[in-house]
Every structure is written in C-alpha cells, then in structure tokens.
Amino acid sequence: MSTTKDRVYNSFEMAQAQFDRVADFLELDSATRALLRDPLREYSFAIPIRMDDGSSRVFRGFRVQHNDARGPSKGGIRFHPQETMDTVRALGMWMTWKCAVVDIPLGGGKGGVICDPHNLSLREQEQICRGWIRQVASDVGPFKDVPAPDVMTSPQHMLWMLDEFETIHRNRLPGFITGKPVGMGGSLGRKEATGYGVVFTIREALKELGVRPEDTTASVQGFGNVAQYAIELYTQLGGKVVCVSCWDQKDQVSYAYRKASGVDLQELLGVTDRFGGIEQTRAAALDYERLPGDQWIDQDVDILIPSALENQINAETVLRIRPRVKLIAEGANGPTSPEADAVLKDRGIFVIPDFLANAGGVTCSYFEQVQSNMNFFWSRDEVLGKLDLKMTAAFEAVLDVAKTQNIPMRDAAYVIAVDRVAQACRDRGWV
Ligand code: GLU
C-alpha cells in the first residue's frame, strides 16, 4: 500500500487503472473489458499447521487464476507478512500480460501465503507448502495452473509442493511446478533467468539510447534473486553498480550500501547473513557507506533498477530521481505507481516496464516446464541463449510499437499483451 498526496490505492487498483487505459486505447468492447479486468477464478483458504512447539496456527493462503485463454495459468507463490488477496490479484493480472508480451503459451496467475518465513522453521515452512497444495490440488496442475517461486519462496519450497501434489495424484507430474532444484526437474539457468533477463533488456535499451553499457552506472533496489543476477550480468557488460539497498531483518528496515568505485557482488555476498541481508559492520570494513534504505533512488546514476516490491516509485519518491537518470528497468513487479509513471513520461525517462523487463523468470519457467514434460534437459548455455533470443525479440517488438504509435514503452507492452489475450478470448468464443 502506498500513500500519495491525494489518495491511497492498492496494487490491484493500480493494475486495473493501467488496464483501463489500454482498453480505451484498443477500444475493447465491454464484455472483453469485464472479462480481463478481474480474475477468472480465485481461491482463498486456511492452512492449519502444527508448529514446532506443539501449538496450532492457521495461515491464510491464496491462488488467483487471472486468465488462461492462451494456456495454463502461470505464476509464482509469495510468502509475505503483508500479503493480501488484492496484491495477488494484481500480480496475477500482470502475469497474464507478462506471458503474452514474450509470446509464450501460458496464461497468468499468482499465489501467496500471509506469513514471514524468517520466523518459521524449515519444518513449519514445509507444512505450509504441503497445506497450500492440499487446498488447491484439484484446481492446479501441469495443464491447468503451474506455480513457481516468487518473493521469499525457493526451489526447496517448490519441491515440497511438487511432492505433495504427486502424492495426492499418485503420479509423477514434474511439469506441475517450476523453479525446482536442478537435478530434481529444475532447469539450468532458472536462478539467473529473471536478473539476466532484466539486463538483456537494459542492453537493448542502451543500444536504442546510443549509450555504451561501460559508460553507465546504476543503483539497484533489493538484494534478492533478481537483483543479484542483474548486478552480475550488468557488471559483466562493463556497467558499474554504485548502490544497492537491502532489507535488514534484525532492524526491520532497509539500508542502502554505496561504494563509488563500484559494488562487488562476490564481496557483498561474502558479508551476507543467513536471511540474505548485508551485515553492516563487515560491509563498512569493505568501504561500503550505509545510507537509509530509500536513498537508492536519490543516486546520481544513469540507470535505476528497482528489484524489490511494489509501489516503490510513487508520487513522492519520483521527485527525488536525479536529472542524470535516463533509464529505469523494473526488475520488481509493479514498482511504479501510475502518478509516478506520468512524471517519468514527462521527463522523458526510458522505462522498461516490469512485465517486459522481468519476464525472463517466467520465460525460463516455460523452458523448464517443456524440459520436465519431455524429461530431457538442456545445457545452461542453451537455456540462456534461448532466453536472450526471446527477451530481445519481445523488447524489439515493444520498441517498434512504441516508436510507430509514439507511446511510452509501458503502453506499447500493454497494447501488445492485452491485444493478444483479448484475441485469444475472442477466438475461443468467450466474448
Ligand atoms: N514469480 C516470477 C514472476 O513474477 C516467475 C513466475 C514463473 O516462473 O512462473 O514472473
């Protein structure tokens, strides 16, 4: 939830506001609008767990299937203390557009559990995973709805979920879930895929802007799976990350870590605690300056890469973006509010919208699903090569629409995605 000067809104309202604008642009009829504005199906359920101390606790779980006209619903499951049905609805809708914009034969869905894995033992987390599956086992599946990891869920969580699903169905169905551990049906390249995908689109955007990666600097919000691999590949291309922000579990706030000579990913990983947070004293010894977490956005850099949660660039924070910033690559889902987006547009900042920039994860999930169903696995280079081709082609298609119709990249990506999904609904005779 983000507070702006004149209103409070949530992610689902934001997703619907974005959709409404495109629906107007595409002149969609009222039935198609009604179908795409809300999820096709949604599930909300209790997950009762026996805790390690013998007590019982009930967690709340969700799954939303926004649209499956183009193929089975696809999307991650988040474990987060602030999870809500509306957040899951928004993220499910964005998954539909994400799969459509990269043109993979999948629809969109999302799931979640209101919980904080930091405060749960591995056994308790396993119980939540198995309990989640038991509640939706007949409504998900390899040809219906295929979950994956997301915020605070891991390959291990996916494997427990797969095991529960296969136990219930008395079958081996490895295409049911993606983001599995490598060697247990997972794909090589999946862990890097989202962060690398973000950088493939940054590389293409810089070509368009006529700037060489080695002449750029960046500031990254987040230090999770997406951020880390984005930093890795961007640095390999010659770019310099000067600031990274990270959640501190102990203090329950985020901090930004700045190093003008450039952040070294391996160095920072070496001072990371068991929750994935950067240890302050050890980072200070390596010459990292610690700043309040929100200062990742104030940095005098060429590129901002928000790779944490929703609503981080909003009506207030957008005003702090420095004049030098020319490119924003949205690694997170929904990091920019519509009000902030209007400001970015006025300032002429090139935005690679979330559902294009971070589509590498689900694209690789699609490759994993194909490999799992075939029971034949590709090399890492083959996977990442196919990923690069898919991301580059999607970027070029969006850029082409943006240029020919003279609209921002986000609008262009929406036009392509919504049009494809609406067409699939019409072709099926749904509207
Ligand atoms: N959770 C990721 C996303 O938001 C990946 C989803 C998937 O692999 O299905 O795109």
Side-chain angles (χ1 to χ4, degrees), residues 74-77 91 95 98 110 146-151 178-179 190 194 333 358-359 361-366:
K74 185 86 191 79
I77 300 172
L91 291 159
M95 285 309 301
K98 195 181 296 191
K110 197 67 126 196
V146 183
D150 204 293
V151 171
T178 61
R190 176 65 184 84
T194 315
N333 290 313
N358 71 33
V362 75
T363 303
C364 196
S365 274
Y366 165 57

Side-chain angles (χ1 to χ4, degrees), residues 199 206 212-217 231-241:
V199 178
L206 289 176
R212 299 181 328 150
E214 49 271 50
D215 295 335
T216 63
T217 54
I231 294 170
E232 181 174 281
L233 189 59
Y234 172 70
T235 310
Q236 277 172 24
L237 293 185
K240 187 164 81 175
V241 174

